[in-house]
Amino acid sequence: MSQRSGPFGDAVRGPAPLNQAVATLGSEQDLPPVTGELTTDPAAQSATADDFGHIVHRTPQYVLKPASAADISATVAWAASQGLKVAARGQGHSTYGRPMVPDGAVVDMSTLNTIHSIASDRMVVDAGAKWSAVIDAALARGLTPPVLTAYTDLSVGGTLSVGGIGGMSHLYGIQTDNVLELNVVVADGRELTCSATQNTDLFNAVRAGLGQVGIITRTTLKLIPAPARVRRYQLFYPDQPTLTADQRTVLNERRFQHIQGKFIPDGPGGWKFQLEGGVFYTGSAPGDDAVLAGLSDTRASAVIADLSYSDYLNTFDALENILRGNGQWFNPHPWWLTFLPDSAAESLAAEILDQLTDDGVGPFGQVTYYPMTTEAFRTPLLRVPGGSVIFPFNLIRLPATSDQATIDQMVTQNRAFYERIRSAGGLLYPVTAMAMSKDDWKIHFGSGYPLLSSAKTKYDPQHIFTPGYEVF
Ligand SMILES: Cc1cc2nc3c(=O)[nH]c(=O)nc-3n(C[C@H](O)[C@H](O)[C@H](O)COP(=O)(O)OP(=O)(O)OC[C@H]3O[C@@H](n4cnc5c(N)ncnc54)[C@H](O)[C@@H]3O)c2cc1C
């Protein structure tokens, strides 16, 4: 048999995979010993040849479903010896083929998802766990990670590889700023522990390092006390300048623990401008008059709701259900995610909005736009414009079509928009659907590039890891 089997019941599948493995390697003895499953099964190959973007498709030869970090070590060392490339796959919610490896090996991290321990200020959890599982376990102890993404069915390793931004980032930085320790398998197969005091070069190159220097196997995440409830304010504005002014006010005055904002398609050529703020509390609810004092929203349209903290974190689920129901979840998703510098944010966003029709983000799509202070940002490879305030500015495109020409146009437009904002000091959040050249990445990482490049030389000299970003 070609598959090494362990606790994953259907590991032994018969002769077809055997033939594929033999064809490649000459004999089964060449495969590394694993206790999980290392397979050439076509179903596993095709499940890892796509992502949430549904734009790029690349089929790996091998898929590892690890039962332990040792399986990853063995497979990585073996892949390096065979000249094969390797990438981890968390939940596959990338938008442009980033977790894919043509002809190489994909490590399906979803089987490495154990929560090992929880203390009052930290959790030790495998990198393949979903944030939703981390939240459930933490909330059972009255705790929470300080920063959470809008959607929590993403893997811990997947968001730590790009950064992990949330509405609480203005207070706590990004998810990679809230990691105490990581275990990482590097290209020679060693599993190294790294932190702010141990193997610091690796720690700095792995966090938001796009999977370039190793595979994260285990993480120690910071936890803080969780609030019981959230009072959520959805405020609407007639135009972008009025929205922006109030966004700046609530940010400066720290009125909300959670701040976001967006432009929502509103009929042909029209947009609704929304500020969303959440006040976290345990005990008495905040007074609405004080929270909203002096704001210029169209108050009659305001939607105020009181939710449990847990329900607040899961509000994306309702949208996911709609999109799964109407098929848009399965259409291509040419997302474009960026950070704008404070001084040019308003004008750049307006310029790009002018070039977008409501079809540009699709029904249920949106343009994310809100200010964020960066004082808690510490991750060297998370690239954001200078200054104390930035604006996440994202085209969350949810097309109603899978028409190839339409999707291609959006990807082309992503590139043009990127060049425009880059020329004005904006930077990419690398969850964007478009090709990037090696030179683009050099420009992107800027002063952080030497850090990444020297860690690459030290920990992945053959360049086997995560070819989907095409950084090296
Ligand atoms: C609906 C939705 C909402 C989102 N909301 C947010 C948000 O609010 N904030 C935000 O910051 N992002 C958000 N994202 C983007 C998301 O954080 C990234 O796409 C993330 O990389 C996806 O995680 P994943 O587990 O699906 O990773 P994958 O897509 O599987 O992998 C992403 C990259 O990380 C690498 N990787 C994965 N696991 C590991 C590992 N263990 N070790 C090393 N490398 C690894 C992969 O090789 C790949 O290159 C959202 C995405 C979606 C689809």
Side-chain angles (χ1 to χ4, degrees):
M1 69 191 166
S2 69
Q3 295 148 319
R4 298 299 172 125
S5 62
F8 305 100
D10 56 352
V12 181
R13 287 179 213 271
L18 170 63
N19 294 341
Q20 289 174 27
V22 168
T24 308
L25 294 169
S27 91
E28 190 205 13
Q29 281 69 40
D30 293 329
L31 291 174
V34 299
T35 53
E37 178 187 353
L38 179 59
T39 181
T40 53
D41 173 31
Q45 289 172 335
S46 90
T48 53
D50 191 17
D51 63 16
F52 181 76
H54 308 304
I55 297 167
V56 172
H57 301 94
R58 289 177 182 137
T59 306
Q61 186 147 17
Y62 301 93
V63 178
L64 172 68
K65 295 174 188 267
S68 65
D71 283 357
I72 299 178
S73 288
T75 303
V76 164
W78 164 78
S81 74
Q82 301 292 319
L84 293 174
K85 302 218 183 261
V86 183
R89 178 185 180 87
Q91 287 295 312
H93 282 95
S94 294
T95 60
Y96 207 65
R98 310 311 188 188
M100 295 175 209
V101 190
D103 301 325
V106 167
V107 181
D108 174 355
M109 295 298 297
S110 65
T111 57
L112 201 72
N113 60 12
T114 302
I115 294 175
H116 295 277
S117 64
I118 308 179
S120 61
D121 65 346
R122 66 194 58 203
M123 175 186 294
V124 179
V125 58
D126 286 339
K130 291 184 195 175
W131 284 99
S132 49
V134 168
I135 292 166
D136 288 348
L139 283 182
R141 307 279 185 98
L143 300 168
T144 181
V147 180
L148 289 161
T149 49
Y151 179 59
T152 56
D153 272 350
L154 307 168
S155 76
V156 171
T159 69
L160 295 184
S161 298
V162 293
I165 310 273
M168 303 85 147
S169 288
H170 65 111
L171 295 177
Y172 299 108
I174 58 171
Q175 290 183 322
T176 45
D177 296 319
N178 292 282
V179 174
L180 302 171
E181 192 175 277
L182 296 169
N183 280 10
V184 180
V185 170
V186 296
D188 62 9
R190 283 176 302 155
E191 186 185 20
L192 301 176
T193 300
C194 61
S195 68
T197 54
Q198 186 181 3
N199 291 320
T200 318
D201 59 342
L202 184 61
F203 192 58
N204 286 337
V206 168
R207 292 175 303 140
L210 310 182
Q212 294 305 303
V213 294
I215 296 185
I216 307 168
T217 50
R218 189 179 286 204
T219 69
T220 304
L221 307 174
K222 191 170 166 186
L223 298 178
I224 59 173
R229 301 193 66 77
V230 181
R231 195 148 179 89
R232 183 182 70 189
Y233 300 85
Q234 290 171 319
L235 309 176
F236 294 90
Y237 292 83
D239 52 42
Q240 187 200 346
T242 323
L243 168 73
T244 312
D246 271 8
Q247 286 181 319
R248 290 185 190 283
T249 301
V250 299
L251 180 72
N252 292 338
E253 297 180 3
R254 299 213 164 178
R255 291 199 200 184
F256 299 112
Q257 281 71 49
H258 190 276
I259 301 180
Q260 286 197 326
K262 55 183 135 172
F263 312 151
I264 306 166
D266 187 27
W271 298 91
K272 282 201 279 193
F273 300 89
Q274 188 201 79
L275 186 164
E276 181 171 315
V279 179
F280 294 0
Y281 72 96
T282 301
S284 323
D288 295 340
D289 288 346
V291 172
L292 302 179
L295 299 184
S296 307
D297 59 296
T298 312
R299 191 57 48 86
S301 321
V303 180
I304 303 176
D306 211 89
L307 305 171
S308 71
Y309 179 65
S310 164
D311 285 349
Y312 187 73
L313 297 180
N314 290 326
T315 46
F316 193 92
D317 292 359
L319 178 59
E320 179 180 355
N321 288 337
I322 293 170
L323 298 175
R324 283 186 183 276
N326 72 12
Q328 275 177 261
W329 190 260
F330 310 101
N331 284 343
H333 299 119
W335 288 14
W336 182 81
L337 281 69
T338 66
F339 299 110
L340 302 182
D342 187 20
S343 56
E346 206 170 327
S347 58
L348 281 173
E351 185 184 321
I352 285 174
L353 203 62
D354 258 6
Q355 297 174 56
L356 274 184
T357 59
D358 46 350
D359 290 348
V361 291
F364 302 104
Q366 56 178 254
V367 179
T368 317
Y369 167 87
Y370 59 100
M372 179 181 277
T373 42
T374 56
E375 61 206 38
F377 284 39
R378 302 272 179 276
T379 303
L381 291 183
L382 192 272
R383 307 304 293 169
V384 293
S388 58
V389 173
I390 56 169
F391 276 68
F393 180 56
N394 308 325
L395 305 185
I396 304 300
R397 300 186 192 259
L398 300 170
T401 176
S402 57
D403 173 61
Q404 189 65 48
T406 307
I407 304 304
D408 288 349
Q409 269 169 15
M410 290 180 177
V411 172
T412 303
Q413 191 179 49
N414 284 352
R415 179 73 208 185
F417 286 166
Y418 172 57
E419 286 176 14
R420 172 67 188 106
I421 65 121
R422 186 170 72 176
S423 71
L427 278 153
L428 196 72
Y429 186 47
V431 183
T432 291
M434 68 182 195
M436 290 277 283
S437 70
K438 291 179 174 46
D439 282 343
D440 286 330
W441 285 119
K442 256 188 205 165
I443 294 168
H444 168 80
F445 282 111
S447 60
Y449 188 80
L451 181 167
L452 184 61
S453 154
S454 63
K456 184 79 174 172
T457 304
K458 180 169 169 187
Y459 295 109
D460 180 21
Q462 286 175 255
H463 293 192
I464 67 166
F465 285 126
T466 320
Y469 280 102
E470 302 183 316
V471 179
F472 292 100

